[in-house]
Amino acid sequence: MLDWWLPENVSTYGQEIDWLFHLIYYITGVTFVLVFVTMLVFLVMYRDRPGRRARYTHGNTTLEIVWTVVPALILVILTILSVPAWSKIKMTMPETDFVVQVTAKQFNWQVTYPGPDGQFGTADDKTLLDEMHVPVNKVVRVILKSQDVIHSFFVPQFRMKQDAVPGREIRQWFEVVKPGRYEWPCAELCGFGHSGMRGWIYVHTPDEYGKWAAQNLTADAAPAAAEPKPEGTKAETTKAEPKKEGKAKK
Ligand SMILES: [Cu+2]
Protein backbone atom coordinates (compact mmCIF):
# COMPACT_ATOMS: atom_id res chain seq x y z
CA MET A 1 0.00 0.00 0.00
CA LEU A 2 2.92 2.34 0.68
CA ASP A 3 4.98 0.95 -2.18
CA TRP A 4 4.36 3.94 -4.41
CA TRP A 5 6.57 6.29 -2.46
CA LEU A 6 9.64 4.15 -1.89
CA PRO A 7 12.10 3.80 -4.75
CA GLU A 8 11.59 0.62 -6.73
CA ASN A 9 13.03 -2.42 -5.02
CA VAL A 10 15.38 -4.42 -7.25
CA SER A 11 17.24 -6.56 -4.75
CA THR A 12 16.55 -10.04 -3.50
CA TYR A 13 16.26 -8.99 0.13
CA GLY A 14 14.49 -5.66 -0.41
CA GLN A 15 11.06 -7.01 0.41
CA GLU A 16 12.12 -7.97 3.90
CA ILE A 17 13.30 -4.42 4.54
CA ASP A 18 10.19 -2.88 3.03
CA TRP A 19 7.86 -5.01 5.07
CA LEU A 20 9.53 -3.84 8.30
CA PHE A 21 9.60 -0.28 7.09
CA HIS A 22 5.88 -0.32 6.39
CA LEU A 23 5.06 -1.97 9.70
CA ILE A 24 7.01 0.67 11.61
CA TYR A 25 5.45 3.37 9.51
CA TYR A 26 1.93 2.18 10.32
CA ILE A 27 2.68 1.94 14.03
CA THR A 28 4.15 5.43 14.17
CA GLY A 29 1.35 6.75 11.93
CA VAL A 30 -1.38 5.42 14.21
CA THR A 31 0.47 6.74 17.26
CA PHE A 32 0.80 10.14 15.65
CA VAL A 33 -2.93 10.34 14.95
CA LEU A 34 -3.89 9.17 18.45
CA VAL A 35 -1.57 11.65 20.13
CA PHE A 36 -2.81 14.55 18.04
CA VAL A 37 -6.48 13.74 18.42
CA THR A 38 -6.03 13.45 22.18
CA MET A 39 -4.14 16.70 22.27
CA LEU A 40 -6.84 18.54 20.33
CA VAL A 41 -9.60 17.10 22.50
CA PHE A 42 -7.75 18.17 25.65
CA LEU A 43 -7.11 21.61 24.26
CA VAL A 44 -10.86 22.12 23.94
CA MET A 45 -11.86 20.28 27.10
CA TYR A 46 -9.46 22.09 29.38
CA ARG A 47 -9.50 25.50 27.80
CA ASP A 48 -9.67 28.54 30.00
CA ARG A 49 -13.19 29.45 31.05
CA PRO A 50 -14.46 32.00 33.55
CA GLY A 51 -14.54 30.65 37.06
CA ARG A 52 -12.26 27.68 36.37
CA ARG A 53 -9.25 27.25 38.58
CA ALA A 54 -6.17 25.18 37.95
CA ARG A 55 -5.72 22.34 40.37
CA TYR A 56 -2.74 20.31 41.36
CA THR A 57 -2.58 16.67 40.32
CA HIS A 58 0.26 14.28 40.91
CA GLY A 59 -0.60 12.07 37.94
CA ASN A 60 -1.86 8.56 37.52
CA THR A 61 0.53 5.74 38.28
CA THR A 62 -1.37 3.04 36.36
CA LEU A 63 -1.52 5.19 33.27
CA GLU A 64 2.18 5.93 33.49
CA ILE A 65 3.04 2.26 33.75
CA VAL A 66 0.86 1.49 30.75
CA TRP A 67 2.35 4.12 28.49
CA THR A 68 5.85 3.02 29.42
CA VAL A 69 5.31 -0.70 29.06
CA VAL A 70 3.35 -0.63 25.81
CA PRO A 71 5.97 1.25 23.76
CA ALA A 72 8.71 -0.88 25.30
CA LEU A 73 6.84 -4.01 24.25
CA ILE A 74 6.35 -2.66 20.74
CA LEU A 75 10.09 -2.07 20.47
CA VAL A 76 10.91 -5.55 21.72
CA ILE A 77 8.48 -7.08 19.24
CA LEU A 78 9.93 -5.02 16.39
CA THR A 79 13.40 -6.18 17.36
CA ILE A 80 12.31 -9.80 17.28
CA LEU A 81 10.58 -9.32 13.93
CA SER A 82 13.74 -7.73 12.49
CA VAL A 83 16.00 -10.62 13.41
CA PRO A 84 15.42 -12.72 10.26
CA ALA A 85 16.15 -9.83 7.91
CA TRP A 86 19.15 -8.70 9.92
CA SER A 87 20.72 -12.11 10.08
CA LYS A 88 20.12 -12.76 6.40
CA ILE A 89 21.46 -9.42 5.16
CA LYS A 90 24.14 -8.53 7.67
CA MET A 91 25.19 -11.75 9.36
CA THR A 92 25.42 -14.22 6.50
CA MET A 93 27.58 -14.04 3.43
CA PRO A 94 26.34 -16.10 0.48
CA GLU A 95 28.97 -17.90 -1.56
CA THR A 96 30.05 -16.02 -4.65
CA ASP A 97 32.97 -15.62 -6.99
CA PHE A 98 32.15 -11.98 -7.65
CA VAL A 99 34.05 -9.72 -5.30
CA VAL A 100 34.82 -6.03 -5.61
CA GLN A 101 36.64 -3.72 -3.29
CA VAL A 102 35.16 -0.31 -2.63
CA THR A 103 37.33 2.28 -0.96
CA ALA A 104 35.52 5.48 -0.10
CA LYS A 105 37.39 8.71 0.10
CA GLN A 106 36.55 12.40 0.18
CA PHE A 107 34.68 12.55 -2.24
CA ASN A 108 34.62 9.48 -4.46
CA TRP A 109 33.92 5.80 -4.57
CA GLN A 110 36.97 3.86 -5.76
CA VAL A 111 35.92 0.51 -7.13
CA THR A 112 38.63 -2.09 -7.56
CA TYR A 113 38.25 -5.30 -9.54
CA PRO A 114 40.80 -8.04 -8.99
CA GLY A 115 41.56 -8.38 -12.71
CA PRO A 116 42.16 -11.65 -14.59
CA ASP A 117 44.16 -13.28 -11.78
CA GLY A 118 41.31 -12.93 -9.33
CA GLN A 119 43.61 -11.48 -6.67
CA PHE A 120 43.48 -8.07 -5.09
CA GLY A 121 46.67 -6.12 -4.63
CA THR A 122 48.33 -7.33 -7.83
CA ALA A 123 49.39 -5.40 -10.90
CA ASP A 124 46.35 -6.31 -12.99
CA ASP A 125 43.79 -4.82 -10.61
CA LYS A 126 41.52 -2.27 -12.23
CA THR A 127 40.16 0.68 -10.34
CA LEU A 128 37.19 2.74 -11.50
CA LEU A 129 36.03 5.99 -10.06
CA ASP A 130 32.39 6.45 -9.07
CA GLU A 131 31.08 3.57 -11.13
CA MET A 132 30.58 -0.10 -10.54
CA HIS A 133 29.49 -2.69 -13.09
CA VAL A 134 27.90 -5.94 -12.01
CA PRO A 135 25.85 -8.69 -13.62
CA VAL A 136 22.20 -9.18 -12.80
CA ASN A 137 21.06 -12.14 -10.66
CA LYS A 138 24.47 -12.59 -9.16
CA VAL A 139 25.59 -12.25 -5.58
CA VAL A 140 28.04 -9.37 -5.41
CA ARG A 141 30.32 -9.18 -2.42
CA VAL A 142 31.66 -5.78 -1.53
CA ILE A 143 34.72 -5.29 0.64
CA LEU A 144 34.12 -1.83 1.96
CA LYS A 145 36.87 0.43 3.21
CA SER A 146 37.46 4.09 3.82
CA GLN A 147 40.61 6.05 3.24
CA ASP A 148 39.80 9.02 5.41
CA VAL A 149 36.52 9.61 7.26
CA ILE A 150 33.28 7.70 7.69
CA HIS A 151 31.22 7.41 4.52
CA SER A 152 28.09 5.42 3.86
CA PHE A 153 27.48 3.12 0.91
CA PHE A 154 23.84 3.59 0.00
CA VAL A 155 21.84 2.35 -2.95
CA PRO A 156 18.17 3.06 -2.27
CA GLN A 157 16.85 0.61 -4.88
CA PHE A 158 18.99 -2.19 -3.43
CA ARG A 159 17.77 -1.43 0.10
CA MET A 160 21.39 -1.52 1.10
CA LYS A 161 23.20 0.89 3.35
CA GLN A 162 26.47 0.39 5.14
CA ASP A 163 28.98 2.73 6.71
CA ALA A 164 32.56 2.65 5.49
CA VAL A 165 34.77 3.08 8.52
CA PRO A 166 38.46 4.03 8.38
CA GLY A 167 40.67 1.17 9.54
CA ARG A 168 38.02 -1.48 8.98
CA GLU A 169 37.18 -3.82 6.13
CA ILE A 170 33.46 -4.45 6.12
CA ARG A 171 31.97 -7.16 3.96
CA GLN A 172 28.52 -6.69 2.50
CA TRP A 173 26.56 -8.27 -0.29
CA PHE A 174 23.67 -7.66 -2.63
CA GLU A 175 21.98 -9.39 -5.52
CA VAL A 176 20.07 -7.36 -8.06
CA VAL A 177 17.23 -8.82 -10.10
CA LYS A 178 16.74 -6.05 -12.64
CA PRO A 179 19.30 -4.57 -15.04
CA GLY A 180 19.63 -0.80 -14.93
CA ARG A 181 21.62 2.13 -13.72
CA TYR A 182 21.25 2.94 -10.06
CA GLU A 183 22.31 5.99 -8.14
CA TRP A 184 24.88 5.41 -5.45
CA PRO A 185 25.16 8.38 -3.10
CA CYS A 186 27.24 8.71 0.03
CA ALA A 187 24.80 8.79 2.93
CA GLU A 188 27.07 10.03 5.68
CA LEU A 189 28.00 13.68 5.95
CA CYS A 190 31.70 13.37 5.18
CA GLY A 191 32.90 16.88 4.46
CA PHE A 192 32.28 19.91 2.30
CA GLY A 193 32.01 17.87 -0.92
CA HIS A 194 29.63 15.30 0.53
CA SER A 195 26.64 16.37 -1.54
CA GLY A 196 28.59 15.75 -4.74
CA MET A 197 29.82 12.33 -3.67
CA ARG A 198 27.88 9.85 -5.69
CA GLY A 199 28.44 7.15 -8.22
CA TRP A 200 26.39 4.86 -10.40
CA ILE A 201 26.01 1.13 -10.30
CA TYR A 202 25.38 -0.43 -13.69
CA VAL A 203 23.61 -3.75 -13.53
CA HIS A 204 24.03 -5.63 -16.81
CA THR A 205 22.64 -8.78 -18.33
CA PRO A 206 25.29 -11.52 -18.26
CA ASP A 207 26.10 -10.96 -21.97
CA GLU A 208 26.48 -7.25 -21.62
CA TYR A 209 28.54 -7.67 -18.50
CA GLY A 210 30.83 -10.09 -20.29
CA LYS A 211 31.38 -7.54 -23.03
CA TRP A 212 32.01 -4.74 -20.61
CA ALA A 213 34.45 -6.85 -18.61
CA ALA A 214 36.31 -7.90 -21.75
CA GLN A 215 36.76 -4.27 -22.72
CA ASN A 216 37.59 -2.90 -19.31
CA LEU A 217 38.98 -5.53 -17.00
CA THR A 218 41.36 -7.55 -19.14
CA ALA A 219 45.10 -7.16 -18.88
CA ASP A 220 45.46 -4.85 -21.87
CA ALA A 221 42.41 -2.70 -21.17
CA ALA A 222 43.20 0.81 -20.15
CA PRO A 223 41.92 1.55 -16.68
CA ALA A 224 38.45 2.93 -17.29
CA ALA A 225 38.86 5.77 -14.89
CA ALA A 226 41.99 7.40 -13.62
CA GLU A 227 43.38 6.83 -10.14
CA PRO A 228 46.54 4.75 -10.01
CA LYS A 229 46.22 1.61 -8.01
CA PRO A 230 48.60 1.66 -5.07
CA GLU A 231 45.83 2.97 -2.91
CA GLY A 232 46.36 4.27 0.54
CA THR A 233 49.84 5.42 -0.44
CA LYS A 234 50.95 8.84 -1.49
CA ALA A 235 50.21 7.89 -5.10
CA GLU A 236 46.90 9.73 -5.16
CA THR A 237 48.50 12.88 -6.40
CA THR A 238 46.65 13.20 -9.69
CA LYS A 239 43.55 14.65 -8.11
CA ALA A 240 43.99 18.28 -7.22
CA GLU A 241 41.98 17.76 -4.10
CA PRO A 242 41.28 20.93 -2.12
CA LYS A 243 43.95 21.78 0.38
CA LYS A 244 41.86 21.46 3.50
CA GLU A 245 43.95 21.32 6.62
CA GLY A 246 41.92 18.31 7.71
CA LYS A 247 43.72 16.14 5.20
CA ALA A 248 47.17 17.08 6.46
CA LYS A 249 47.64 13.79 8.35
CA LYS A 250 48.07 11.62 5.24
CU1 LIG B 1 31.16 10.39 1.78
Side-chain angles (χ1 to χ4, degrees):
M1 183 178 156
L2 280 173
D3 286 332
W4 58 270
W5 72 286
L6 288 182
E8 184 187 12
N9 162 42
V10 296
S11 98
T12 49
Y13 53 62
Q15 287 216 328
E16 283 149 82
I17 302 275
D18 290 1
W19 172 81
L20 287 165
F21 184 91
H22 292 155
L23 177 68
I24 293 167
Y25 201 84
Y26 288 132
I27 293 172
T28 48
V30 168
T31 310
F32 173 81
V33 171
L34 288 180
V35 167
F36 261 80
V37 169
T38 311
M39 188 185 78
L40 291 175
V41 169
F42 283 5
L43 276 177
V44 175
M45 262 173 76
Y46 299 112
R47 69 187 184 280
D48 182 38
R49 274 178 289 182
R52 262 209 174 183
R53 297 198 51 203
R55 81 187 151 86
Y56 175 76
T57 164
H58 84 288
N60 181 325
T61 312
T62 318
L63 210 54
E64 283 177 24
I65 292 176
V66 170
W67 74 48
T68 308
V69 170
V70 170
L73 268 182
I74 293 177
L75 291 181
V76 170
I77 292 169
L78 283 176
T79 307
I80 294 169
L81 291 175
S82 313
V83 167
W86 182 265
S87 54
K88 176 176 176 181
I89 299 166
K90 298 282 185 185
M91 309 293 285
T92 48
M93 186 56 70
E95 266 317 301
T96 182
D97 56 357
F98 198 100
V99 185
V100 287
Q101 225 172 53
V102 173
T103 307
K105 73 162 180 39
Q106 289 172 316
F107 297 96
N108 300 96
W109 301 112
Q110 304 167 102
V111 183
T112 303
Y113 289 79
D117 68 354
Q119 303 288 326
F120 287 106
T122 52
D124 68 347
D125 289 7
K126 296 279 183 224
T127 298
L128 314 181
L129 210 56
D130 294 329
E131 60 176 274
M132 186 194 292
H133 294 255
V134 299
V136 73
N137 296 323
K138 173 109 189 154
V139 172
V140 175
R141 181 177 305 170
V142 176
I143 302 172
L144 188 57
K145 300 195 269 190
S146 171
Q147 206 170 291
D148 36 44
V149 299
I150 299 179
H151 300 269
S152 180
F153 184 119
F154 181 37
V155 187
Q157 283 95 338
F158 297 3
R159 304 296 191 262
M160 182 190 157
K161 188 188 251 178
Q162 174 61 53
D163 277 6
V165 182
R168 289 191 58 191
E169 262 190 39
I170 298 172
R171 273 144 222 268
Q172 285 289 296
W173 68 278
F174 60 81
E175 181 179 352
V176 183
V177 296
K178 188 178 169 192
R181 173 177 177 264
Y182 302 101
E183 194 181 3
W184 176 22
C186 174
E188 181 73 61
L189 186 57
C190 57
F192 62 96
H194 164 70
S195 62
M197 177 169 173
R198 67 164 186 179
W200 295 93
I201 298 189
Y202 297 82
V203 180
H204 302 284
T205 59
D207 280 0
E208 268 176 47
Y209 180 78
K211 266 184 229 156
W212 177 84
Q215 280 166 14
N216 295 279
L217 299 184
T218 47
D220 46 325
E227 209 68 7
K229 71 149 278 293
E231 41 168 327
T233 68
K234 287 267 167 77
E236 25 150 334
T237 45
T238 37
K239 290 247 137 184
E241 213 67 324
K243 50 291 118 164
K244 269 271 167 147
E245 335 90 81
K247 285 206 85 171
K249 269 283 194 58
K250 272 256 132 136

